Amino acid sequence: MKKAWIITAMLALALTSCQESLEDKCAKEAAEFTRKKCPARIDENIVIDSMTFSRHSHTLAYWYHLEGVADTSAIFQKLNLKKTLTDELKNTTNMKSYKDAGYNFRYVYCSGKTKKVYFDTTIRPKDYL
């Protein structure tokens, strides 16, 4: 009986030690996405350069650069991009575990020519819940 208990305890310990935390999963997924898929063209004028994760602030960040006619800060004066991104985040299901955990989502759009940041916003749980 004691032997069975020890085996059960060791098996339980082994199974729990193999599980990665949500932070580890997020960091891994961001790094893999960047390594395997970036840079990737989103449309004719937008390219995603990378995805990063900050454990300290629980923030998943998307880094884009603009090209062609979109490579101007004037485009952001015409759009309510934070609202659009927030609405999109509210309606996406593939980020459910991160949203349920209260993670932040940051979006940074830069010039492809000058690297100047045109738009930088962070969407917090109070925005998408």
Side-chain angles (χ1 to χ4, degrees):
M1 185 70 171
K2 191 174 185 180
K3 196 177 202 180
W5 183 84
I6 291 172
I7 291 172
T8 303
M10 289 177 65
L11 182 60
L13 185 62
L15 289 174
T16 57
S17 66
C18 291
Q19 293 177 346
E20 63 183 347
S21 71
L22 187 59
E23 284 182 332
D24 291 341
K25 179 183 173 193
C26 190
K28 180 180 172 183
E29 287 179 356
E32 278 185 29
F33 178 85
T34 299
R35 185 173 42 82
K36 290 180 179 180
K37 301 195 177 193
C38 291
R41 187 161 296 285
I42 302 300
D43 71 16
E44 186 178 335
N45 300 305
I46 302 173
V47 175
I48 185 165
D49 295 313
S50 66
M51 185 186 312
T52 60
F53 177 66
S54 168
R55 289 175 188 270
H56 173 72
S57 64
H58 289 124
T59 301
L60 186 60
Y62 301 88
W63 300 85
Y64 300 92
H65 78 261
L66 304 175
E67 298 176 342
V69 295
D71 194 352
T72 175
S73 61
I75 197 164
F76 294 100
Q77 296 168 357
K78 297 176 186 176
L79 303 172
N80 188 354
L81 191 55
K82 182 164 184 171
K83 182 183 180 337
T84 302
L85 292 168
T86 302
D87 290 345
E88 191 175 297
L89 186 59
K90 284 179 182 179
N91 295 321
T92 190
T93 56
N94 63 344
M95 294 296 182
K96 183 176 179 355
S97 60
Y98 301 133
K99 292 189 295 186
D100 288 348
Y103 281 23
N104 302 304
F105 299 86
R106 182 178 179 200
Y107 300 87
V108 182
Y109 290 82
C110 301
S111 167
K113 294 178 204 164
T114 66
K115 307 301 182 213
K116 176 183 175 190
V117 175
Y118 290 141
F119 182 80
D120 184 349
T121 192
T122 301
I123 300 171
R124 292 176 169 73
K126 67 178 177 65
D127 301 319
Y128 61 78
L129 291 178

CSV table of all heavy atoms in Angstrom, one decimal, residues 31-70:
chain,number,residue,atom,x,y,z
A,31,ALA,N,7.7,34.2,-28.7
A,31,ALA,CA,9.0,33.9,-29.3
A,31,ALA,C,8.9,33.1,-30.5
A,31,ALA,O,9.6,33.3,-31.6
A,31,ALA,CB,10.0,33.3,-28.3
A,32,GLU,N,8.1,32.0,-30.5
A,32,GLU,CA,7.9,31.1,-31.6
A,32,GLU,C,7.3,31.9,-32.8
A,32,GLU,O,7.7,31.7,-33.9
A,32,GLU,CB,7.1,29.9,-31.3
A,32,GLU,CG,7.9,28.8,-30.6
A,32,GLU,CD,7.0,27.6,-30.3
A,32,GLU,OE1,6.1,27.3,-31.1
A,32,GLU,OE2,7.3,26.9,-29.4
A,33,PHE,N,6.3,32.6,-32.5
A,33,PHE,CA,5.6,33.4,-33.6
A,33,PHE,C,6.6,34.3,-34.3
A,33,PHE,O,6.7,34.4,-35.5
A,33,PHE,CB,4.5,34.2,-33.0
A,33,PHE,CG,3.8,35.1,-34.1
A,33,PHE,CD1,2.8,34.5,-34.8
A,33,PHE,CD2,4.1,36.4,-34.3
A,33,PHE,CE1,2.1,35.3,-35.8
A,33,PHE,CE2,3.5,37.2,-35.2
A,33,PHE,CZ,2.5,36.6,-36.0
A,34,THR,N,7.4,35.0,-33.5
A,34,THR,CA,8.4,35.9,-34.0
A,34,THR,C,9.4,35.2,-34.9
A,34,THR,O,9.8,35.6,-36.0
A,34,THR,CB,9.1,36.7,-32.9
A,34,THR,OG1,8.1,37.5,-32.2
A,34,THR,CG2,10.2,37.6,-33.5
A,35,ARG,N,9.9,34.1,-34.3
A,35,ARG,CA,10.9,33.3,-35.0
A,35,ARG,C,10.4,32.7,-36.3
A,35,ARG,O,11.1,32.7,-37.3
A,35,ARG,CB,11.5,32.2,-34.1
A,35,ARG,CG,12.6,31.4,-34.7
A,35,ARG,CD,13.2,30.4,-33.6
A,35,ARG,NE,12.3,29.7,-32.8
A,35,ARG,CZ,11.7,28.6,-33.2
A,35,ARG,NH1,11.9,28.1,-34.4
A,35,ARG,NH2,10.9,28.0,-32.4
A,36,LYS,N,9.2,32.1,-36.3
A,36,LYS,CA,8.7,31.4,-37.4
A,36,LYS,C,8.0,32.2,-38.5
A,36,LYS,O,8.0,31.9,-39.6
A,36,LYS,CB,7.7,30.3,-36.9
A,36,LYS,CG,8.4,29.2,-36.2
A,36,LYS,CD,7.4,28.1,-35.8
A,36,LYS,CE,8.1,27.0,-35.1
A,36,LYS,NZ,7.1,26.0,-34.6
A,37,LYS,N,7.3,33.3,-38.0
A,37,LYS,CA,6.4,34.0,-38.9
A,37,LYS,C,6.8,35.5,-39.2
A,37,LYS,O,6.1,36.1,-40.1
A,37,LYS,CB,5.0,33.9,-38.4
A,37,LYS,CG,4.6,32.5,-38.2
A,37,LYS,CD,3.1,32.4,-38.1
A,37,LYS,CE,2.8,30.9,-38.0
A,37,LYS,NZ,1.4,30.6,-38.1
A,38,CYS,N,7.7,36.0,-38.5
A,38,CYS,CA,8.0,37.5,-38.7
A,38,CYS,C,9.3,37.6,-39.5
A,38,CYS,O,10.2,36.8,-39.3
A,38,CYS,CB,8.1,38.2,-37.3
A,38,CYS,SG,6.5,38.3,-36.5
A,39,PRO,N,9.4,38.7,-40.2
A,39,PRO,CA,8.3,39.6,-40.5
A,39,PRO,C,7.3,39.0,-41.4
A,39,PRO,O,7.6,38.1,-42.2
A,39,PRO,CB,9.0,40.8,-41.2
A,39,PRO,CG,10.3,40.2,-41.8
A,39,PRO,CD,10.6,39.0,-40.9
A,40,ALA,N,6.0,39.5,-41.2
A,40,ALA,CA,4.9,39.0,-42.0
A,40,ALA,C,4.1,40.2,-42.5
A,40,ALA,O,3.7,41.0,-41.7
A,40,ALA,CB,4.1,38.0,-41.2
A,41,ARG,N,3.7,40.1,-43.7
A,41,ARG,CA,2.9,41.2,-44.3
A,41,ARG,C,1.4,41.0,-43.9
A,41,ARG,O,0.9,39.9,-44.1
A,41,ARG,CB,3.0,41.2,-45.8
A,41,ARG,CG,2.3,42.4,-46.5
A,41,ARG,CD,2.8,42.6,-47.9
A,41,ARG,NE,4.2,43.0,-47.9
A,41,ARG,CZ,4.7,44.2,-47.6
A,41,ARG,NH1,3.9,45.1,-47.2
A,41,ARG,NH2,6.0,44.4,-47.7
A,42,ILE,N,0.9,42.0,-43.2
A,42,ILE,CA,-0.5,42.0,-42.8
A,42,ILE,C,-1.4,42.4,-44.0
A,42,ILE,O,-2.5,41.9,-44.2
A,42,ILE,CB,-0.8,42.9,-41.6
A,42,ILE,CG1,0.1,42.5,-40.4
A,42,ILE,CG2,-2.2,42.9,-41.2
A,42,ILE,CD1,-0.1,41.1,-39.9
A,43,ASP,N,-1.0,43.5,-44.6
A,43,ASP,CA,-1.6,44.0,-45.9
A,43,ASP,C,-0.6,44.7,-46.7
A,43,ASP,O,0.6,44.6,-46.4
A,43,ASP,CB,-2.9,44.8,-45.6
A,43,ASP,CG,-2.6,46.2,-45.0
A,43,ASP,OD1,-1.5,46.6,-45.1
A,43,ASP,OD2,-3.6,46.8,-44.5
A,44,GLU,N,-1.0,45.4,-47.7
A,44,GLU,CA,-0.1,46.0,-48.6
A,44,GLU,C,0.9,47.0,-47.9
A,44,GLU,O,2.0,47.1,-48.3
A,44,GLU,CB,-0.9,46.8,-49.7
A,44,GLU,CG,-0.1,47.4,-50.8
A,44,GLU,CD,-0.9,48.1,-51.8
A,44,GLU,OE1,-2.1,47.7,-52.0
A,44,GLU,OE2,-0.4,49.0,-52.5
A,45,ASN,N,0.5,47.6,-46.8
A,45,ASN,CA,1.3,48.6,-46.2
A,45,ASN,C,1.7,48.4,-44.7
A,45,ASN,O,2.3,49.3,-44.1
A,45,ASN,CB,0.5,50.0,-46.3
A,45,ASN,CG,0.3,50.4,-47.7
A,45,ASN,OD1,1.2,50.5,-48.5
A,45,ASN,ND2,-1.0,50.6,-48.0
A,46,ILE,N,1.3,47.2,-44.2
A,46,ILE,CA,1.6,47.0,-42.8
A,46,ILE,C,2.3,45.6,-42.7
A,46,ILE,O,1.9,44.6,-43.2
A,46,ILE,CB,0.3,46.9,-41.9
A,46,ILE,CG1,-0.5,48.2,-42.1
A,46,ILE,CG2,0.6,46.6,-40.5
A,46,ILE,CD1,-1.9,48.2,-41.4
A,47,VAL,N,3.4,45.6,-41.9
A,47,VAL,CA,4.2,44.4,-41.6
A,47,VAL,C,4.3,44.2,-40.1
A,47,VAL,O,4.7,45.2,-39.4
A,47,VAL,CB,5.6,44.5,-42.3
A,47,VAL,CG1,6.4,43.3,-42.0
A,47,VAL,CG2,5.4,44.7,-43.8
A,48,ILE,N,4.0,43.0,-39.7
A,48,ILE,CA,4.3,42.7,-38.3
A,48,ILE,C,5.8,42.3,-38.1
A,48,ILE,O,6.2,41.4,-38.9
A,48,ILE,CB,3.3,41.7,-37.6
A,48,ILE,CG1,3.6,41.6,-36.1
A,48,ILE,CG2,3.4,40.4,-38.4
A,48,ILE,CD1,2.5,40.9,-35.3
A,49,ASP,N,6.5,42.9,-37.3
A,49,ASP,CA,7.9,42.6,-37.1
A,49,ASP,C,8.2,41.6,-36.0
A,49,ASP,O,9.1,40.8,-36.1
A,49,ASP,CB,8.7,43.9,-36.8
A,49,ASP,CG,8.7,44.9,-37.9
A,49,ASP,OD1,8.9,44.5,-39.1
A,49,ASP,OD2,8.4,46.1,-37.7
A,50,SER,N,7.4,41.7,-34.9
A,50,SER,CA,7.6,40.7,-33.8
A,50,SER,C,6.5,40.8,-32.9
A,50,SER,O,5.6,41.7,-32.9
A,50,SER,CB,8.9,41.0,-33.1
A,50,SER,OG,8.8,42.3,-32.5
A,51,MET,N,6.5,39.8,-32.0
A,51,MET,CA,5.6,39.8,-30.8
A,51,MET,C,6.4,39.5,-29.6
A,51,MET,O,7.3,38.7,-29.7
A,51,MET,CB,4.6,38.6,-31.0
A,51,MET,CG,3.5,38.6,-30.0
A,51,MET,SD,2.4,37.1,-30.0
A,51,MET,CE,1.9,37.1,-31.7
A,52,THR,N,6.2,40.3,-28.6
A,52,THR,CA,7.0,40.1,-27.4
A,52,THR,C,6.1,39.9,-26.2
A,52,THR,O,4.9,40.3,-26.2
A,52,THR,CB,8.0,41.3,-27.1
A,52,THR,OG1,7.2,42.5,-27.0
A,52,THR,CG2,9.0,41.4,-28.3
A,53,PHE,N,6.7,39.4,-25.1
A,53,PHE,CA,5.9,39.3,-23.8
A,53,PHE,C,6.7,39.8,-22.7
A,53,PHE,O,7.9,39.4,-22.5
A,53,PHE,CB,5.5,37.8,-23.6
A,53,PHE,CG,4.8,37.7,-22.3
A,53,PHE,CD1,3.5,38.2,-22.1
A,53,PHE,CD2,5.3,36.9,-21.3
A,53,PHE,CE1,2.8,38.1,-20.9
A,53,PHE,CE2,4.7,36.8,-20.1
A,53,PHE,CZ,3.4,37.3,-19.9
A,54,SER,N,6.2,40.7,-21.9
A,54,SER,CA,6.8,41.2,-20.7
A,54,SER,C,6.2,40.5,-19.5
A,54,SER,O,5.0,40.7,-19.2
A,54,SER,CB,6.6,42.7,-20.5
A,54,SER,OG,7.0,43.1,-19.3
A,55,ARG,N,7.0,39.7,-18.8
A,55,ARG,CA,6.5,39.0,-17.6
A,55,ARG,C,6.2,40.0,-16.5
A,55,ARG,O,5.2,39.8,-15.8
A,55,ARG,CB,7.5,38.0,-17.1
A,55,ARG,CG,7.7,36.8,-18.0
A,55,ARG,CD,8.8,35.9,-17.5
A,55,ARG,NE,9.1,34.8,-18.4
A,55,ARG,CZ,8.6,33.6,-18.4
A,55,ARG,NH1,7.7,33.4,-17.5
A,55,ARG,NH2,8.9,32.7,-19.3
A,56,HIS,N,7.0,41.0,-16.4
A,56,HIS,CA,6.8,42.0,-15.3
A,56,HIS,C,5.5,42.6,-15.4
A,56,HIS,O,4.8,42.8,-14.3
A,56,HIS,CB,8.0,43.0,-15.4
A,56,HIS,CG,7.8,44.1,-14.5
A,56,HIS,ND1,8.0,44.0,-13.1
A,56,HIS,CD2,7.5,45.4,-14.7
A,56,HIS,CE1,7.8,45.2,-12.5
A,56,HIS,NE2,7.4,46.1,-13.5
A,57,SER,N,5.1,43.0,-16.6
A,57,SER,CA,3.8,43.8,-16.7
A,57,SER,C,2.7,42.9,-17.2
A,57,SER,O,1.6,43.4,-17.4
A,57,SER,CB,4.0,45.0,-17.6
A,57,SER,OG,4.3,44.6,-18.9
A,58,HIS,N,2.9,41.7,-17.5
A,58,HIS,CA,1.9,40.8,-18.2
A,58,HIS,C,1.4,41.4,-19.4
A,58,HIS,O,0.2,41.5,-19.6
A,58,HIS,CB,0.8,40.4,-17.2
A,58,HIS,CG,1.3,39.5,-16.1
A,58,HIS,ND1,1.1,39.8,-14.8
A,58,HIS,CD2,1.9,38.3,-16.2
A,58,HIS,CE1,1.6,38.8,-14.1
A,58,HIS,NE2,2.1,37.9,-14.9
A,59,THR,N,2.3,41.9,-20.3
A,59,THR,CA,1.9,42.5,-21.5
A,59,THR,C,2.4,41.8,-22.7
A,59,THR,O,3.6,41.6,-22.9
A,59,THR,CB,2.4,44.0,-21.5
A,59,THR,OG1,1.9,44.7,-20.4
A,59,THR,CG2,2.0,44.7,-22.8
A,60,LEU,N,1.5,41.5,-23.6
A,60,LEU,CA,1.8,40.9,-24.9
A,60,LEU,C,1.8,42.0,-25.9
A,60,LEU,O,0.8,42.7,-26.0
A,60,LEU,CB,0.7,39.8,-25.3
A,60,LEU,CG,0.9,39.0,-26.5
A,60,LEU,CD1,2.2,38.2,-26.4
A,60,LEU,CD2,-0.2,38.1,-26.7
A,61,ALA,N,2.9,42.2,-26.6
A,61,ALA,CA,3.1,43.4,-27.5
A,61,ALA,C,3.3,42.9,-28.9
A,61,ALA,O,4.0,42.0,-29.2
A,61,ALA,CB,4.3,44.2,-27.0
A,62,TYR,N,2.6,43.7,-29.8
A,62,TYR,CA,2.7,43.4,-31.2
A,62,TYR,C,3.4,44.7,-31.8
A,62,TYR,O,3.0,45.8,-31.6
A,62,TYR,CB,1.3,43.3,-31.8
A,62,TYR,CG,0.5,42.2,-31.3
A,62,TYR,CD1,-0.3,42.4,-30.1
A,62,TYR,CD2,0.5,40.9,-31.9
A,62,TYR,CE1,-1.0,41.3,-29.6
A,62,TYR,CE2,-0.2,39.9,-31.3
A,62,TYR,CZ,-1.0,40.1,-30.2
A,62,TYR,OH,-1.7,39.1,-29.7
A,63,TRP,N,4.5,44.4,-32.6
A,63,TRP,CA,5.3,45.5,-33.2
A,63,TRP,C,5.2,45.5,-34.7
A,63,TRP,O,5.5,44.5,-35.3
A,63,TRP,CB,6.8,45.3,-32.8
A,63,TRP,CG,7.0,45.3,-31.3
A,63,TRP,CD1,6.8,44.2,-30.4
A,63,TRP,CD2,7.3,46.4,-30.5
A,63,TRP,NE1,7.0,44.6,-29.1
A,63,TRP,CE2,7.4,46.0,-29.1
A,63,TRP,CE3,7.6,47.7,-30.8
A,63,TRP,CZ2,7.7,46.8,-28.1
A,63,TRP,CZ3,7.9,48.6,-29.7
A,63,TRP,CH2,8.0,48.1,-28.4
A,64,TYR,N,4.7,46.6,-35.2
A,64,TYR,CA,4.4,46.7,-36.7
A,64,TYR,C,5.3,47.8,-37.3
A,64,TYR,O,5.6,48.8,-36.5
A,64,TYR,CB,3.0,47.0,-36.9
A,64,TYR,CG,2.0,46.0,-36.4
A,64,TYR,CD1,1.4,46.2,-35.2
A,64,TYR,CD2,1.6,45.0,-37.2
A,64,TYR,CE1,0.5,45.3,-34.7
A,64,TYR,CE2,0.6,44.1,-36.8
A,64,TYR,CZ,0.1,44.2,-35.5
A,64,TYR,OH,-0.8,43.3,-35.0
A,65,HIS,N,5.5,47.8,-38.6
A,65,HIS,CA,6.0,48.9,-39.3
A,65,HIS,C,5.1,49.2,-40.5
A,65,HIS,O,4.5,48.2,-41.0
A,65,HIS,CB,7.5,48.8,-39.6
A,65,HIS,CG,7.8,48.0,-40.8
A,65,HIS,ND1,8.3,46.7,-40.6
A,65,HIS,CD2,7.8,48.2,-42.1
A,65,HIS,CE1,8.5,46.2,-41.8
A,65,HIS,NE2,8.2,47.1,-42.7
A,66,LEU,N,5.1,50.4,-40.9
A,66,LEU,CA,4.3,50.8,-42.0
A,66,LEU,C,5.1,51.1,-43.2
A,66,LEU,O,6.3,51.6,-43.1
A,66,LEU,CB,3.4,52.1,-41.6
A,66,LEU,CG,2.6,51.9,-40.4
A,66,LEU,CD1,1.9,53.3,-40.0
A,66,LEU,CD2,1.5,50.9,-40.6
A,67,GLU,N,4.5,50.9,-44.4
A,67,GLU,CA,5.2,51.2,-45.6
A,67,GLU,C,4.3,51.9,-46.6
A,67,GLU,O,3.1,52.0,-46.4
A,67,GLU,CB,5.6,49.8,-46.3
A,67,GLU,CG,6.6,49.0,-45.5
A,67,GLU,CD,6.9,47.6,-46.1
A,67,GLU,OE1,6.1,47.2,-47.0
A,67,GLU,OE2,7.9,47.0,-45.7
A,68,GLY,N,4.9,52.5,-47.6
A,68,GLY,CA,4.2,53.1,-48.7
A,68,GLY,C,3.3,54.3,-48.2
A,68,GLY,O,3.7,55.0,-47.4
A,69,VAL,N,2.1,54.3,-48.7
A,69,VAL,CA,1.2,55.4,-48.4
A,69,VAL,C,0.8,55.5,-47.0
A,69,VAL,O,0.4,56.5,-46.5
A,69,VAL,CB,-0.1,55.4,-49.3
A,69,VAL,CG1,0.3,55.6,-50.8
A,69,VAL,CG2,-0.9,54.2,-49.1
A,70,ALA,N,0.9,54.4,-46.3
A,70,ALA,CA,0.5,54.3,-44.8
A,70,ALA,C,1.6,54.8,-43.9
A,70,ALA,O,1.4,55.1,-42.7
A,70,ALA,CB,0.1,52.9,-44.4
